[in-house]
Amino acid sequence: MSYTMEVLETALAKNQNEPEFQQAVTEILTTLQSYVDSRPEYQKEGVLERLIEPERTIIFRVPWVDDAGKVQVNKGYRVQFNSAIGPYKGGIRFHPSVSISIIKFLGFEQIFKNSLTGQPIGGGKGGSDFDPKGKSDREVMAFCQSFITELYRHISADNDVPAGDIGVGGREIGYMFGQYKRIKNSSEGVFTGKGLSYGGSLARTEATGFGLVYLMDELLKQHGNTIEGKTIVVSGAGNVAIYATQKAQQLGAKVVAMSDSNGYIYDPEGIDLAAVKEIKEVKRGRIKEYLEYRPNAQYTEGKGIWNIKCDIALPCATQNELNKEDAEVLVKNGCFAVGEGANMPSTLEATEVFLENKIFFAPGKAANAGGVATSALEMSQNSMRTSWSFDEVDRRLKEIMINIYNNISSAAKEVGAEDNFVVGANIAGFKRVADAMMLQGIV
């Protein structure tokens, strides 16, 4: 058995109750096998064994009091996975599904994603099984303050810089940053995704969605095509989906469908983004309310958005939302490009379908890296005590995404896997981290 497969077998055995983490490790090590096994220095230095084991895993309880005066207790996590190329960087997720497996899966992916940006940031992730939906602002504040009262001792501007994720937006970041500053008596840039009035960066809100479309546009251009005039289906109706839709529309594409956890809308005339923004960003409502703005659109309860014919699919909701059957339907209906706006939204089986059918497939660790890339730009602005214009941040973001595409394309060609951007992304991200680990000794 090869070195890489031995490490994978051991990792699967050691983490039997962590299916999401197993999925991420399997996907990455399988694609790295030929590259790593041909370079014995990686085995000598035990790079893979060290890479798949977090440097630090922090699990803690989060007690807080609800509006009825009842004590509630949630579980909190922070996995500091790899700091070879810089301080840990990765979001905090508040959602009932959060578990150690999901946090490790997200943190492991974050290592490669952050490496691909070219910025000096390592990989980490955190979160809690707390659900902010239906909670009052006071309850959310109480939870966030309790969460940071434990986590503050493990994070700092030069050690671990969290950001937002599912369930954690500007409100939650503000509460956590305020509590951190109160405890530490320090106004350092320890969080990204902050409000503009206290150190946030312009274009951060738009960054992941914009970056996804910038990368897909560059991919198509390099293959003699363009995003202009294409029909696009976007899953999700959160931050990433909204701004991917906005940039796609600006570049001349027609987005015809979006979704949330209840169902999806189909508008063959093209999505009215202003309506979606009002529903989701102002009212915090459900996507089915779109029919109040566009009565001729269609709303369907439940899953099925991938049955809609499109040229390009942009899954932007959550992990494993697009399975093998969905992929087969997309291929059958003429979809020729897929860009992941979420973290691993396509299952391994779905990814195989796309690659077997020569679909241009941009994996999340490359395609949705715009958010963390702009977070790194926010860190730079905080360190310099300055603020760049929207256009300046957007320009830098676009350059980063074009560079990511070029790097993953070159890495794929280097191993004879041209246009296999899964292989390209994993190798390009791995190489930078592995080289840094070997230069720093066995730590």
Side-chain angles (χ1 to χ4, degrees):
M1 185 181 296
S2 74
Y3 164 57
T4 305
M5 290 301 100
E6 284 182 0
V7 173
L8 175 58
E9 187 176 89
T10 300
L12 295 179
K14 288 175 64 177
N15 301 280
Q16 292 183 33
N17 297 318
E18 299 173 6
E20 293 85 3
F21 179 56
Q22 287 187 332
Q23 178 184 349
V25 172
T26 299
E27 188 263 336
I28 288 174
L29 294 194
T30 300
T31 55
L32 288 176
Q33 181 180 2
S34 61
Y35 180 82
V36 170
D37 288 345
S38 65
R39 291 161 176 80
E41 63 270 24
Y42 291 138
Q43 181 173 6
K44 180 181 178 182
E45 300 287 340
V47 169
L48 291 184
E49 291 91 334
R50 290 188 284 147
L51 185 67
I52 63 173
E53 194 67 41
E55 293 175 9
R56 192 173 295 105
T57 300
I58 303 145
I59 303 177
F60 52 98
R61 72 180 181 193
V62 187
W64 58 282
V65 180
D66 66 20
D67 286 345
K70 183 178 179 181
V71 175
Q72 303 286 345
V73 180
N74 289 94
K75 187 170 285 190
Y77 306 90
R78 188 68 179 173
V79 174
Q80 297 174 332
F81 227 114
N82 190 287
S83 60
I85 59 176
Y88 309 106
K89 186 82 192 78
I92 289 177
R93 174 177 294 193
F94 292 165
H95 192 272
S97 67
V98 166
S99 65
I100 188 62
S101 177
I102 285 178
I103 296 300
K104 284 174 67 177
F105 141 62
L106 294 169
F108 190 61
E109 283 279 295
Q110 200 77 42
I111 301 169
F112 300 87
K113 181 191 300 185
N114 293 359
S115 174
L116 286 170
T117 69
Q119 306 295 301
I121 44 177
K125 205 75 177 182
S128 172
D129 57 2
F130 171 76
D131 188 358
K133 288 183 180 179
K135 305 292 193 301
S136 69
D137 287 348
R138 194 212 64 81
E139 288 176 320
V140 172
M141 181 177 70
F143 174 83
C144 288
Q145 289 177 340
S146 181
F147 185 83
I148 288 302
T149 298
E150 171 58 34
L151 189 62
Y152 87 91
R153 69 192 80 235
H154 305 292
I155 61 177
S156 71
D158 293 317
N159 174 52
D160 186 347
V161 183
D165 195 85
I166 293 172
V168 177
R171 175 183 61 172
E172 290 77 14
I173 292 292
Y175 292 151
M176 288 190 284
F177 178 76
Q179 183 74 349
Y180 179 89
K181 189 173 63 170
R182 179 186 188 186
I183 295 171
K184 292 279 287 185
N185 193 29
S186 173
S187 193
E188 63 189 281
V190 68
F191 281 89
T192 56
K194 299 185 294 297
L196 295 176
S197 61
Y198 62 100
S201 174
L202 288 163
R204 176 60 189 90
T205 302
E206 297 85 353
T208 307
F210 277 22
L212 167 63
V213 176
Y214 286 146
L215 185 139
M216 295 303 291
D217 190 43
E218 183 64 19
L219 186 160
L220 294 179
K221 285 178 179 177
Q222 294 300 323
H223 291 83
N225 209 329
T226 176
I227 206 168
E228 184 177 3
K230 301 301 184 293
T231 298
I232 299 179
V233 167
V234 177
S235 68
N239 186 64
V240 181
I242 285 173
Y243 290 102
T245 297
Q246 179 171 313
K247 182 54 65 176
Q249 290 178 341
Q250 288 174 356
L251 295 180
K254 183 166 73 169
V255 178
V256 296
M258 297 180 75
S259 65
D260 63 14
S261 57
N262 292 124
Y264 62 94
I265 52 169
Y266 171 56
D267 190 340
E269 296 180 4
I271 291 293
D272 180 345
L273 190 59
V276 175
K277 284 186 176 182
E278 184 171 343
I279 293 165
K280 287 296 181 178
E281 296 183 337
V282 179
K283 297 180 178 179
R284 294 190 180 185
R286 308 310 298 166
I287 199 69
K288 65 181 178 182
E289 296 171 32
Y290 183 83
L291 298 184
E292 298 173 12
Y293 299 81
R294 299 286 283 266
N296 292 329
Q298 300 172 25
Y299 172 73
T300 303
E301 195 82 11
K303 299 181 179 180
I305 192 171
W306 305 119
N307 291 313
I308 298 171
K309 288 188 177 182
C310 63
D311 302 310
I312 301 170
L314 301 178
C316 298
T318 190
Q319 69 265 13
N320 295 325
E321 60 168 296
L322 197 162
N323 60 32
K324 180 181 179 182
E325 291 72 26
D326 297 326
E328 290 171 342
V329 170
L330 283 169
V331 172
K332 181 181 178 181
N333 286 340
C335 175
F336 65 85
V338 177
E340 294 191 317
N343 291 303
M344 204 179 280
S346 307
T347 65
L348 294 179
E349 294 78 14
T351 300
E352 290 173 4
V353 169
F354 293 138
L355 296 178
E356 288 170 0
N357 286 276
K358 307 298 181 185
I359 303 298
F360 293 129
F361 177 73
K365 64 176 66 66
N368 74 14
V372 74
T374 306
S375 285
L377 298 180
E378 181 177 331
M379 291 167 66
S380 297
Q381 292 170 79
N382 291 167
S383 295
M384 294 187 288
R385 297 291 192 271
T386 191
S387 179
W388 297 329
S389 69
F390 183 100
D391 289 343
E392 173 66 12
V393 177
D394 191 38
R395 180 188 64 80
R396 291 173 183 253
L397 168 63
K398 187 173 183 179
E399 288 179 354
I400 289 170
M401 298 311 296
I402 290 173
N403 286 336
I404 289 175
Y405 169 74
N406 289 332
N407 289 337
I408 66 175
S409 179
S410 296
K413 290 176 182 176
E414 182 183 338
V415 296
E418 186 170 358
D419 291 341
N420 186 329
F421 303 118
V422 175
V423 170
N426 288 341
I427 290 175
F430 168 79
K431 187 176 185 303
R432 184 172 178 231
V433 175
D435 290 349
M437 289 173 67
M438 290 193 295
L439 289 170
Q440 294 170 33
I442 308 300
V443 295

